[in-house]
Amino acid sequence: MAALALSADQRHFVSAGRPVFVLGDTVWAAFTRAHDQEWSEHLRVRAAQGFNAVYLSVLPILHDRSTGDGEHWPFRLRPDGSQDFDAPDPRYFERARAMAAEAAAAGLVPHLVLLWCSYVPGSWAAELAPEAVMTAEQTEAYTALALATFGDLDPVWIVSGDDGFTSPEGAERYRAALRQLKRAAPGCLTTLHSSPDAVLPAALTDNPDLDFHAYQGGHRHDQRDLAGQLAERYAALPPRRPVVHLEPCYEGHGRAGGQGRYQAREVRTASWSGLLHGATAGLGYGAHGVWNWHRRGARSGNTAFSGVPFDVEEARRFRGADDVALLRRIVEEHGLYGLAPRPDLLPAGAGRSRVAASPDLSVVAVHVPDPGPVDLAIDLSGRRAHAWSLEDRERLRPRLSAVPGGTRVEQPALLSDAVHLFTA
C-alpha cells in the first residue's frame, strides 16, 4: 500500500489519493521476539484477512512481556541486565528494518512506537524500572537512529506508548521527539498511544507536529464504555484530527477487574462502539499471545492483570481478526468516515445499541449488540438498507416498519450482534 496521508477534511486517511480505513494488527514485541519464518507467515495471514497495518514497538516493552528463547535487544546489555543506551546494536536495527520492510511489501504499513513510556521520565512505567529511562540526549540520538533505520519505509510514528501524560518532563520529551521527527521527515504521520485515563496536556493537544489521535479503550471489565467515550473526547478536541481506536480489548486477554477472558463478541462491540462514537479513521486489533509474541512455555509478566497468554500460533487463529476485517470492508465500501454519534435518534431504554450518522443524515448506522428490535427517531422509508450478522459475517435482509415518529428496525432471526446501515 502507498504511504498514508491525511484527508482534506481531517477525518480519515488516504493512500494514493483514495480513502482508506486503517486496520492494524498489534504485534508490539515482534522486533524483539519473532523468528524470521514466523514473521513471514504472520504477515501472509494478516494481509489475506484484510489488515493493512501492523503496530510495532521499536523498543522492548519491559513491564509486561513474554521472555525466553532467543530475544533480541536494541542496545548492549550491562552485567546487571539493563540496557546501555549509548551502545546500540546495529544487528538489531538491521533486522528490525528488514522486518518492517517485509511488512510494507506485504501491504501492511508499519506503525512504530518510538518511546514506550518505560523509557520516558515521570511515567508510571518509569517508576517500575527507573534504570530504563533515557536522558534527553540519549532520546535524541536514538530518535535519529530510528529515523535513519526506518524513515524511507514511510512508517507512521506512534511517539508514545501507554502513557498517561501526568509528567511535564515526559510531555516535553514527547514534544521534542515530535519536533525532531517532523523536522527530519516533514511528510511523516505522527500520533500518540495513550493510556485509558490519559488527559493530553496542551503542549501535545495544540502541537502542530501531531497529526492524528490514537487512544486505548483498555482492558478493564468495569470500564467497557470507554471505547465510545474516549472516541467522542478525542474527536471533539480542537483542532480536528482523525481518530483511531488503537487498542480495544485484546481477544483472549483477561477481563481485568472481572472474571474470564475477552471473547470475539466483546471485541466486536468495543470496535463498533469506537467507530460509531467518532473513531472513523482506523482500528487496532490484538490477540493475547500475538501482541507479546508468546510461545508455549515462555515466561510471562503481569498475568494477574492479563491472564496467561496463548501461544502466538494459536492466538493468530482467533476469530476476532476476521470480524474486524469485516468492519473495515463495511467502512470502506460505504464511506463511513464522517460519522458522529446520534443518541438523540434512539429512544430511552435502547440498551447498548448505538447509532451514528453523517452530518446531513444521508448515512445512518446502528450497532445492535443484543438481539431485539430497535426504534429510531427518523423516517428511513425509501432508504437503501444493508445489514450484517457480525458473528456469522453474513449479510442480512433488514425488515423495517413505521412507528410514531420514526422507524422500527425489526429483530433479525439471530441470537448475535448485528449492524444495520441506511443510505439515501
Side-chain angles (χ1 to χ4, degrees):
M1 186 168 70
L4 294 174
L6 300 184
S7 65
D9 64 2
Q10 299 291 300
R11 291 189 182 276
H12 59 275
F13 301 103
V14 295
S15 175
R18 301 185 63 177
V20 62
F21 184 84
V22 171
L23 179 63
D25 186 39
T26 306
V27 286
W28 298 135
F31 285 161
T32 307
R33 292 187 47 76
H35 300 326
D36 292 350
Q37 187 173 356
E38 290 177 325
W39 182 239
S40 297
E41 174 63 10
H42 190 77
L43 296 176
R44 184 194 67 77
V45 170
R46 289 300 193 238
Q49 288 174 310
F51 286 78
N52 57 8
V54 284
Y55 299 145
L56 294 141
S57 179
V58 179
L59 303 177
I61 297 174
L62 301 176
H63 69 278
D64 187 4
R65 61 195 182 96
S66 293
T67 58
D69 60 346
E71 290 181 297
H72 303 272
W73 289 89
F75 299 93
R76 180 173 59 84
L77 297 181
R78 299 187 179 97
D80 65 359
S82 63
Q83 299 179 82
D84 182 352
F85 297 122
D86 296 315
D89 184 345
R91 296 170 300 178
Y92 177 91
F93 288 93
E94 290 169 3
R95 180 175 178 276
R97 179 198 155 70
M99 293 174 65
E102 186 176 359
L108 299 158
V109 175
H111 288 53
L112 304 178
V113 176
L114 182 70
L115 294 165
W116 203 267
C117 66
S118 307
Y119 301 92
V120 176
S123 70
W124 62 268
E127 295 179 2
L128 300 177
E131 73 281 358
V133 176
M134 294 182 181
T135 67
E137 294 75 19
Q138 288 169 335
T139 303
E140 183 177 356
Y142 156 67
T143 301
L145 175 59
L147 274 162
T149 301
F150 303 106
D152 66 322
L153 299 176
D154 295 319
V156 173
W157 293 102
I158 306 174
V159 175
S160 68
D162 203 20
D163 208 329
F165 309 109
T166 57
S167 163
E169 186 180 4
E172 172 56 28
R173 192 66 58 85
Y174 296 128
R175 190 186 69 80
L178 283 165
R179 183 177 63 246
Q180 185 176 353
L181 289 168
K182 283 295 192 178
R183 299 308 176 268
C188 74
L189 293 183
T190 61
T191 190
L192 302 164
H193 175 273
S194 57
S195 63
D197 58 351
V199 177
L200 291 184
L204 297 175
T205 302
D206 301 335
N207 196 315
D209 295 326
L210 183 68
D211 291 311
F212 67 96
H213 294 301
Y215 72 92
Q216 178 189 168
H219 310 281
R220 294 199 59 84
H221 181 64
D222 54 355
Q223 296 179 327
R224 63 183 182 181
D225 291 336
L226 282 179
Q229 293 170 356
L230 293 178
E232 289 195 54
R233 181 199 299 176
Y234 284 101
L237 288 176
R240 178 191 289 172
R241 294 183 175 100
V243 180
V244 172
H245 189 183
L246 188 71
E247 189 174 330
C249 51
Y250 291 153
E251 189 172 8
H253 193 286
R255 296 190 190 100
Q259 299 295 317
R261 306 282 186 126
Y262 283 110
Q263 308 291 312
R265 184 167 178 165
E266 294 165 294
V267 177
R268 294 195 299 268
T269 295
S271 300
W272 280 98
S273 179
L275 176 75
L276 298 187
H277 283 83
T280 59
L283 174 68
Y285 166 79
H288 191 44
V290 171
W291 70 268
N292 44 3
W293 215 269
H294 183 79
R295 299 185 189 89
R296 189 181 302 279
R299 298 180 299 278
S300 179
N302 207 19
T303 56
F305 179 82
S306 58
V308 175
F310 297 86
D311 181 86
V312 60
E313 293 190 8
E314 297 169 350
R316 182 186 300 137
R317 296 192 292 269
F318 289 169
R319 63 164 293 130
D322 290 312
D323 294 340
V324 294
L326 172 63
L327 183 151
R328 179 198 167 192
R329 290 196 296 274
I330 294 172
V331 170
E332 292 189 342
E333 179 181 348
H334 296 280
L336 306 184
Y337 303 107
L339 298 183
R342 290 296 303 264
D344 57 302
L345 298 181
L346 282 172
R352 295 191 299 147
S353 295
R354 297 290 182 266
V355 61
S358 58
D360 61 358
L361 291 177
S362 62
V363 177
V364 178
V366 187
H367 174 239
V368 186
D370 304 303
V374 178
D375 289 351
L376 298 175
I378 182 174
D379 182 2
L380 296 174
S381 59
R383 299 285 188 106
R384 290 189 294 273
H386 317 265
W388 294 263
S389 165
L390 298 182
E391 183 173 81
D392 300 329
R393 298 188 288 274
E394 294 180 353
R395 285 185 177 266
L396 302 172
R397 186 181 298 275
R399 295 181 297 118
L400 307 181
S401 59
V403 295
T407 305
R408 172 167 295 165
V409 182
E410 299 289 356
Q411 175 176 295
L414 52 83
L415 291 175
S416 184
D417 45 346
V419 160
H420 301 269
L421 183 64
F422 306 95
T423 58

